Amino acid sequence: METVKGYIEHIIYRNADNGYMVFNLVSGEEEITCVGFFKTMDQGETIEAEGDYTTHPVYGAQFKIEHYKIVPPDDAVSIERYLGSGAIKGVGEALAARIVKRFGADTYRIIEEEPERLAEVKGISERKAREIAVTVYEKRDAREAMTFLQKYGISNTLAIRIYEAYGTKLYGILKENPYQLAEDIQGIGFKIADEIAARIGIHTDSDYRIRSGILYTLMLAGGEGHCYLPQDVLLKKAGELLGVEPSVMEPHLGNLAMDKKLMIKRSQQDGECKVYASTYYYAELNCAKMLHDLNVSAKEDLLPSEENEITVKIDQIEKELDIVLDELQKKSVEECVKNGIFILSGGPGTGKTTTINAIIRYFLSEGMDIYLAAPTGRAAKRMTEATGYESKTIHRLLELNGVVSEESKAARFERNEENPLEADVIIIDEMSMVDIFLFQALLKAITVGTRLIMVGDVNQLPSVGAGQVLQDAMSSERFPMVVLEKIFRQAGESDIVWNAHRIHAGEELVLDNKSRDFFFLERNDTNVIYKHMIQLITEKLPSYVGAQPYEIQVLTPMRKGRLGVETLNSILQKYLNPPSDSKREYTSGNVLLRERDKVMQVKNNYQLEWEVVSKYGIPIDKGCGIFNGDIGIILQIDEYAHEVVIEFDEHRRVTYAYAQLDEIELAYAVTIHKSQGSEYPAVIMPLLSGPRMLFNRNLLYTGVTRAKNCVTILGSRQTLKEMVDNNYQNRRYTGLAERIRELIP
């Protein structure tokens, strides 16, 4: 690593959001182009920096700065240059020259120690002298904070965030409790805070460390879908993380509960001691309370004539839509009319869409306002196509505004208890994908008297986020529900539908390849699987299903391994989007991104702004929020501005700074879990071997039901049979069903 010292002559480019800068540094007779992430850097300042020289393919030699410190100017020329650069508010070149002429090389000391003397210079009042001093103090504080944080190996970008959060209070916080960073600053988790604490010299058995480790373990559990952990499981996991005995940690549970950081709840059913992070417990409790309030029944108040009127209207709807509803479908419509809450579940081909259309038609005939929504853009689009009525994502329905609350670090929605949705009926599809926090936000925006109809397939994998809302609501047995099971004739012509139901029932699949939409190719060599996969995507399937190659999706159970997401994406990128002189590239972490690559957002980002532009480049729509599982195409990599433009579904364009690309990964292949709520013209599933807990019936069922027109499985017949036979499901620790039963007798 090399060291350079000089003054910043000119800032070429600055990204205000992430602090990325390109500037010219004059060092003696040499002029150096420098790049890096900085927040407190201004033109005219003198810096000492460590880094390495690199060669950019377009912009040539650059000095990439890893660590730096701003040093005070130490001669009259440097001081005048710095003051006249515009770095100090209200001081221009002429005034800077007068100040330096008066005080010479002692100028900087005068500003810091005797600022009132600046009033000796013509054009500076006592008030202006104080303002100049305050600006210099602020810059000095920031400079010293950056230097202090870098001593502990904290990167520039992280140091900027810490200083912005705490200012000069950071010294006391880092000395006493560096784990507070994990609670207060987004992007700093327990592990980073733990590394900082170790460098500072905090002991491994520190109370702060143990408390932070327990909360971090609960946070990790939330990332795995749990709302709580049994106490013994929590202490075991936290003990492994911290290297501390469970007996040492147990007293801290009570302290954290007293501080309202967590809730300890003993189950009335089995006596299990459940430990929740407070936000998860109150999310479940709030949802149960709001469901209780919405669960209004009109059954007892209906007169026989009104009952008969419902039947007559359903018969009329059948004639208008030219459909024949079976008994369960008719019951579904009746229950929607009679109840404030209704749950409709069923597998593929069982007539959920037909039932929803009949429900919509019934309420429209009553002059009611209806809102349709689904968790993802793709699911909402499918719902619109299936019903003919506009459907939105739940986030758009609730009018996400992109502002994140510091307290909950959750999205803020314009539609809430103070500004509820103005609707008589709200129908939510793909409810199996809805996590506990999104459900809580939705319920807050629904007033008592509005009907809530929840539709989904309870046999799908649960939501990526914490909770299993649909399953818990059904297993509570407190709400009217119908589970459709009959496969209708038209759907029954599809082997995708039949085989999905066979998988769910644990029955043997038909793999004779006489099907028009379900194929199995026995291949036991991964290299052969790669070859056939590429042939299917580029040659065979596009014309067969009437789709573009990038619309055909490879789904796999795993991330690692030769048939895992990471390896498959690397191979598929090479053949589906090969390198070219016309395509720019950027390496983010271990992933090479290239223009025209198919990519996926891998975590919810409520603050990312998107816009839809016309063919003339004029914005015609805009909004906030790109979510876990959204798929897009890289349109442009701007090497100069360090930005990447990605277009997602519905032509939503988002500009990512390079520093944000840890939220993006290639999506030629995705895990089956990430595919939830999506539907693809064709699905290819490579299945050779893998861990039993992953290779199960539930996962296979979800993968197969993602395909609209064609499923092709490449791999081992024995593995496929074992997946159908394996009914293992990871248990999710959730308590919504129990909270509902507590509130609704």
Side-chain angles (χ1 to χ4, degrees):
M1 202 172 276
E2 299 186 49
T3 302
V4 297
K5 183 178 178 181
Y7 72 90
I8 301 169
E9 182 193 45
H10 174 57
I11 294 175
I12 301 167
Y13 172 79
R14 186 201 298 263
N15 186 316
D17 294 328
N18 61 17
Y20 179 77
M21 280 173 55
V22 182
F23 59 86
N24 288 339
L25 185 78
V26 174
S27 178
E29 299 295 317
E30 190 180 7
E31 190 174 297
I32 305 166
T33 301
C34 297
V35 298
F37 292 89
F38 319 96
K39 200 74 173 181
T40 58
M41 196 92 84
D42 286 303
Q43 224 159 261
E45 288 189 310
T46 302
I47 67 165
E48 193 174 290
E50 289 183 346
D52 294 298
Y53 283 97
T54 60
T55 303
H56 192 281
V58 177
Y59 304 112
Q62 295 179 337
F63 188 73
K64 187 176 181 181
I65 296 175
E66 296 296 335
H67 302 286
Y68 75 98
K69 62 180 179 180
I70 299 172
V71 294
D74 52 8
D75 61 78
V77 174
S78 300
I79 293 169
E80 184 176 337
R81 184 169 55 228
Y82 171 61
L83 293 177
S85 67
I88 306 298
K89 186 180 177 182
V91 180
E93 290 182 11
L95 187 53
R98 292 204 300 275
I99 293 171
V100 174
K101 184 177 180 181
R102 175 72 181 83
F103 299 113
D106 203 28
T107 299
Y108 215 77
R109 186 196 66 78
I110 294 291
I111 294 174
E112 289 195 332
E113 297 177 13
E114 303 176 75
E116 68 280 357
R117 288 190 58 193
L118 290 173
E120 297 173 16
V121 178
K122 185 181 177 182
I124 299 181
S125 64
E126 287 187 12
R127 180 181 172 186
K128 188 163 189 174
R130 286 194 298 271
E131 288 174 352
I132 292 170
V134 167
T135 304
V136 171
Y137 291 153
E138 287 174 349
K139 289 182 176 293
R140 184 192 63 190
D141 289 343
R143 183 170 68 239
E144 289 174 353
M146 293 295 152
T147 304
F148 173 79
L149 292 169
Q150 286 170 1
K151 272 198 311 187
Y152 295 108
I154 299 170
S155 68
N156 290 345
T157 47
L158 210 52
I160 289 165
R161 264 186 275 167
I162 294 170
Y163 181 72
E164 286 182 339
Y166 300 126
T168 54
K169 293 179 183 176
L170 67 89
Y171 303 104
I173 288 167
L174 286 180
K175 184 179 178 182
E176 183 183 355
N177 178 20
Y179 296 97
Q180 191 174 329
L181 273 64
E183 295 183 41
D184 295 344
I185 302 174
Q186 200 167 11
I188 297 182
F190 171 81
K191 288 190 174 179
I192 293 175
D194 203 31
E195 287 173 9
I196 294 169
R199 293 190 192 110
I200 289 171
I202 303 290
H203 292 296
T204 55
D205 61 352
S206 153
D207 288 352
Y208 289 122
R209 182 172 187 264
I210 291 172
R211 287 161 63 105
S212 184
I214 289 170
L215 293 174
Y216 177 67
T217 303
L218 285 173
M219 187 200 76
L220 287 180
E224 294 170 359
H226 305 296
C227 288
Y228 72 88
L229 286 178
Q231 182 172 312
D232 56 341
V233 174
L234 169 62
L235 293 178
K236 182 174 181 290
K237 287 178 177 287
E240 291 168 355
L241 171 75
L242 297 167
V244 175
E245 288 298 317
S247 58
V248 176
M249 293 183 291
E250 196 164 345
H252 291 281
L253 295 179
N255 294 332
L256 286 165
M258 287 178 67
D259 289 344
K260 298 184 178 178
K261 296 286 180 68
L262 54 79
M263 290 288 298
I264 301 172
K265 183 87 174 170
R266 191 169 292 279
S267 173
Q268 295 176 358
Q269 290 180 315
D270 54 18
E272 182 180 59
C273 194
K274 305 173 178 182
V275 184
Y276 285 83
S278 291
T279 50
Y280 289 82
Y281 176 77
Y282 286 111
E284 285 191 346
L285 190 61
N286 288 341
C287 287
K289 174 66 170 65
M290 290 184 284
L291 286 170
H292 166 273
D293 294 345
L294 290 172
N295 189 32
V296 179
S297 174
K299 289 180 183 178
E300 297 172 4
D301 299 329
L302 287 175
L303 298 170
S305 59
E306 291 172 317
E307 289 269 13
N308 184 57
E309 188 180 328
I310 294 172
T311 305
V312 169
K313 278 195 174 180
I314 292 173
D315 292 341
Q316 188 178 340
I317 288 166
E318 285 183 298
K319 291 174 185 173
E320 290 173 0
L321 297 178
D322 192 22
I323 57 173
V324 177
L325 301 174
D326 71 7
E327 288 307 309
L328 284 178
Q329 289 176 309
K330 287 180 180 178
K331 183 184 177 187
S332 299
V333 180
E334 291 170 4
E335 293 291 340
C336 287
V337 175
K338 297 174 183 177
N339 293 284
I341 291 177
F342 175 69
I343 300 170
L344 177 65
S345 185
T350 55
K352 290 198 301 293
T353 300
T354 301
T355 309
I356 291 170
N357 280 328
I359 291 167
I360 291 170
R361 185 59 66 96
Y362 188 101
F363 286 123
L364 286 175
S365 71
E366 295 283 296
M368 293 185 174
D369 292 326
I370 305 173
Y371 285 162
L372 309 181
T376 67
R378 284 173 176 251
K381 185 179 178 183
R382 274 210 334 271
M383 196 179 189
T384 299
E385 291 168 352
T387 63
Y389 296 95
E390 183 190 13
S391 175
K392 299 178 179 179
T393 64
I394 297 174
H395 292 90
R396 290 202 81 179
L397 181 71
L398 299 179
E399 297 176 19
L400 175 74
N401 70 3
V403 175
V404 173
S405 158
E406 279 301 315
E407 291 180 6
S408 66
K409 295 187 171 59
R412 180 182 157 200
F413 297 101
E414 293 296 337
R415 293 290 184 173
N416 49 42
E417 56 268 59
E418 295 175 0
N419 181 28
L421 294 164
E422 297 169 3
D424 300 303
V425 181
I426 295 172
I427 304 175
I428 307 295
D429 198 10
E430 294 286 359
M431 270 298 301
S432 62
M433 293 184 64
V434 177
D435 65 47
I436 192 70
F437 292 109
L438 184 57
F439 193 50
Q440 178 180 225
L442 174 67
L443 292 176
K444 283 182 178 180
I446 301 176
T447 55
V448 175
T450 300
R451 288 175 172 82
L452 174 62
I453 299 166
M454 297 179 276
V455 184
D457 183 351
V458 76
N459 298 309
Q460 298 282 359
L461 291 171
S463 58
V464 174
Q468 45 186 6
V469 169
L470 180 63
Q471 187 170 321
D472 279 358
M474 292 176 70
S475 63
S476 74
E477 299 181 338
R478 294 298 186 269
F479 308 112
M481 71 181 85
V482 167
V483 179
L484 302 174
E485 295 177 346
K486 176 184 173 184
I487 300 174
F488 286 85
R489 184 185 60 79
Q490 189 174 357
E493 294 171 4
S494 164
D495 287 310
I496 294 174
V497 171
W498 278 115
N499 277 329
H501 284 273
R502 289 188 182 104
I503 291 165
H504 173 55
E507 298 172 358
E508 188 175 346
L509 301 183
V510 177
L511 303 174
D512 57 11
N513 285 339
K514 293 179 181 178
S515 169
R516 290 181 300 176
D517 61 5
F518 196 101
F519 303 100
F520 174 75
L521 305 178
E522 185 148 21
R523 303 290 185 269
N524 294 303
D525 184 320
T526 50
N527 290 321
V528 174
I529 289 176
Y530 299 154
K531 175 186 171 185
H532 285 293
M533 200 180 292
I534 292 159
Q535 283 181 335
L536 286 166
I537 295 171
T538 58
E539 300 171 20
K540 308 289 186 186
L541 288 176
S543 58
Y544 188 70
V545 297
Q548 297 298 317
Y550 74 88
E551 295 177 291
I552 295 164
Q553 190 61 55
V554 175
L555 301 180
T556 177
M558 306 171 292
R559 289 198 60 81
K560 305 290 184 182
R562 298 196 70 190
L563 292 178
V565 163
E566 292 172 9
T567 302
L568 287 175
N569 271 321
S570 177
I571 291 167
L572 292 171
Q573 180 192 46
K574 180 179 176 182
Y575 288 95
L576 301 180
N577 187 32
S580 159
D581 291 340
S582 63
K583 297 176 193 169
R584 283 164 289 199
E585 299 177 351
Y586 173 71
T587 301
S588 173
N590 297 322
V591 179
L592 172 69
L593 299 175
R594 183 178 295 136
E595 288 178 339
R596 304 309 304 166
D597 267 337
K598 181 179 178 181
V599 293
M600 175 186 277
Q601 174 82 10
V602 295
K603 70 181 201 180
N604 289 340
N605 188 325
Y606 302 105
Q607 293 175 297
L608 275 177
E609 295 180 358
W610 54 261
E611 65 178 16
V612 178
V613 299
S614 69
K615 63 180 180 179
Y616 302 108
I618 300 169
I620 55 176
D621 193 10
K622 62 182 180 179
C624 290
I626 298 293
F627 306 106
N628 193 348
D630 283 356
I631 287 180
I633 300 290
I634 295 179
L635 296 185
Q636 181 186 17
I637 295 176
D638 188 330
E639 296 168 313
Y640 189 75
H642 279 225
E643 293 175 339
V644 175
V645 179
I646 300 175
E647 183 170 287
F648 291 93
D649 292 335
E650 300 172 319
H651 307 292
R652 295 170 299 155
R653 291 189 181 183
V654 178
T655 300
Y656 288 78
Y658 278 3
Q660 295 172 299
L661 292 177
D662 58 344
E663 298 181 8
I664 290 294
E665 63 181 36
L666 294 173
Y668 299 101
V670 303
T671 61
I672 294 171
H673 217 130
K674 288 282 190 188
S675 72
Q676 285 173 274
S678 297
E679 186 178 71
Y680 311 99
V683 162
I684 300 170
M685 295 172 63
L687 301 172
L688 258 186
S689 63
R692 176 178 166 76
M693 62 185 296
L694 265 184
F695 277 58
N696 60 48
R697 184 186 301 175
N698 196 214
L699 198 82
L700 181 62
Y701 176 86
T702 300
V704 166
T705 54
R706 297 307 89 209
K708 185 177 181 182
N709 299 320
C710 183
V711 170
T712 305
I713 297 174
L714 296 162
S716 159
R717 188 180 296 266
Q718 182 61 28
T719 297
L720 192 57
K721 181 180 184 304
E722 288 171 0
M723 287 184 78
V724 174
D725 293 339
N726 178 13
N727 200 25
Y728 171 84
Q729 291 185 40
N730 279 327
R731 179 184 172 185
R732 280 205 170 188
Y733 295 111
T734 64
L736 179 60
E738 193 171 354
R739 301 288 85 73
I740 292 169
R741 285 192 289 265
E742 287 170 354
L743 288 172
I744 305 177

